[in-house]
């Protein structure tokens, strides 16, 4: 069983569209995250949720809206996609900082 | 604010040679420190982590790292690299309070025969 699973793995879409990325973890962790990896491989946190509550919201455009229906799921919805949104998005989970487990990533390409 | 510096963007070593990847952090207290590896097109795999205690940490795949508080460093080492070690390596720091994981810019490791 995959510990942190993301879907889809690849996403190609046109500018202006709205898309969602789903993430699920089966580790029982309380905290989940979204990270963005840009074309230069730089990884930056976007959001974190703890037990469905938003904890960290870095300076991310409000076109990005995370949603956590329960502590095992953290989805990322993106409105009005722009070329600059093209990146790899990683979901992760952790329990009291004793280790962060990452998903395999979603490569988003906006054309 | 916490930050991580990986001064080497790209390192090339011969297969069988030893390896050291540098990592310096900035944080007001003792942070949690991590090394992750990312193979091309793959996710992030945890190599090792330091929270407290023994400053020499053993990880998977034969890697180790040493926490040096006086130098604010957490360098990654391996005595003999294998071709399969070619990947991107990320050092990261987390605050024990808010669990925010901050990454360095990564070091790309190339292995030559």
């Amino acid at each position: 069983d995959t510990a942190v699973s993301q879907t889809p793995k690849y996403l190609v879409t046109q500018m202006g569209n709205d898309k969602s990325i789903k993430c699920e973890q089966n580790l029982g962790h309380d905290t989940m995250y979204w990270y963005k990896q840009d074309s230069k491989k730089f990884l930056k946190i976007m959001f974190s949720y703890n037990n469905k509550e938003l904890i960290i919201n870095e300076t991310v455009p409000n076109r990005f809206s995370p949603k956590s229906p329960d502590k095992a799921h953290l989805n990322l919805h993106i409105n009005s996609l722009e070329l600059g949104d093209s990146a790899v998005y990683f979901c992760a989970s952790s329990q009291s900082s004793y280790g962060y487990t990452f998903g395999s990533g979603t490569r988003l390409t906006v054309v | 604010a916490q930050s991580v510096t990986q001064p080497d963007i790209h390192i090339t070593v011969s297969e069988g040679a030893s390896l050291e990847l540098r990592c310096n952090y900035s944080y007001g207290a003792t942070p949690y420190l991590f090394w992750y590896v990312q193979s091309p097109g793959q996710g992030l795999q945890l190599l090792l982590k330091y929270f407290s205690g023994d400053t020499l940490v053993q990880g998977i795949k034969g890697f180790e790292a040493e926490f040096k508080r006086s130098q604010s460093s957490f360098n990654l080492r391996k005595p003999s690299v294998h071709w399969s070690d070619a990947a991107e390596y990320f050092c990261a720091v987390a605050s024990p309070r808010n669990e925010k994981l901050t990454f360095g810019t990564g070091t790309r490791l190339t292995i030559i025969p």
Side-chain angles (χ1 to χ4, degrees):
Chain A
D1 284 342
T2 303
V4 179
S5 60
Q6 296 179 229
T7 54
K9 190 171 176 61
Y10 300 97
L11 188 52
V12 180
T13 187
Q14 291 186 324
M15 283 176 57
N17 284 349
D18 302 338
K19 290 293 178 185
S20 292
I21 306 171
K22 295 185 176 182
C23 178
E24 176 181 4
Q25 56 99 359
N26 61 7
L27 298 167
H29 289 171
D30 288 334
T31 308
M32 296 185 71
Y33 311 81
W34 279 109
Y35 281 82
K36 179 181 180 180
Q37 186 174 43
D38 63 22
S39 59
K40 295 185 178 179
K41 302 283 189 181
F42 184 62
L43 280 150
K44 186 170 165 51
I45 190 169
M46 300 174 69
F47 304 101
S48 80
Y49 270 75
N50 184 281
N51 273 322
K52 302 191 296 176
E53 181 184 349
L54 182 65
I55 301 298
I56 294 174
N57 183 350
E58 295 289 295
T59 50
V60 177
N62 57 15
R63 297 182 295 104
F64 290 78
S65 54
K67 284 186 173 53
S68 181
D70 54 62
K71 78 171 194 176
H73 295 84
L74 180 61
N75 304 323
L76 183 65
H77 188 75
I78 316 170
N79 290 326
S80 304
L81 278 155
E82 301 176 356
L83 292 176
D85 297 331
S86 296
V88 181
Y89 293 84
F90 285 100
C91 179
S93 70
S94 74
Q95 182 72 21
S96 302
S97 294
Y98 284 102
Y100 298 75
T101 303
F102 283 82
S104 57
T106 295
R107 182 174 295 276
L108 172 65
T109 303
V110 182
V111 297
Chain B
Q2 61 204 49
S3 66
V4 178
T5 301
Q6 292 181 250
D8 303 306
I9 296 173
H10 185 200
I11 284 183
T12 299
V13 299
S14 299
E15 190 168 13
S18 63
L19 171 70
E20 182 169 28
L21 301 182
R22 296 183 291 165
C23 172
N24 291 95
Y25 69 89
S26 173
Y27 184 67
T30 300
Y32 296 152
L33 294 161
F34 306 82
W35 275 101
Y36 283 87
V37 61
Q38 185 180 27
S39 298
Q42 301 298 310
L44 293 153
Q45 183 180 24
L46 178 67
L47 286 175
L48 46 78
K49 59 191 177 189
Y50 173 79
F51 293 139
S52 64
D54 191 347
T55 56
L56 185 62
V57 181
Q58 301 297 320
I60 62 171
K61 303 185 179 186
F63 286 93
E64 67 177 26
E66 186 170 12
F67 170 58
K68 293 186 177 180
R69 184 190 305 275
S70 61
Q71 298 176 20
S72 297
S73 69
F74 189 58
N75 294 348
L76 183 72
R77 300 193 293 250
K78 186 170 184 177
S80 175
V81 297
H82 186 262
W83 64 266
S84 60
D85 293 325
E88 192 88 21
Y89 290 80
F90 293 94
C91 182
V93 61
S95 160
R97 281 177 291 178
N98 67 15
E99 301 190 22
K100 174 183 164 181
L101 192 61
T102 300
F103 286 90
T105 49
T107 297
R108 181 159 62 97
L109 176 64
T110 298
I111 308 295
I112 55 176

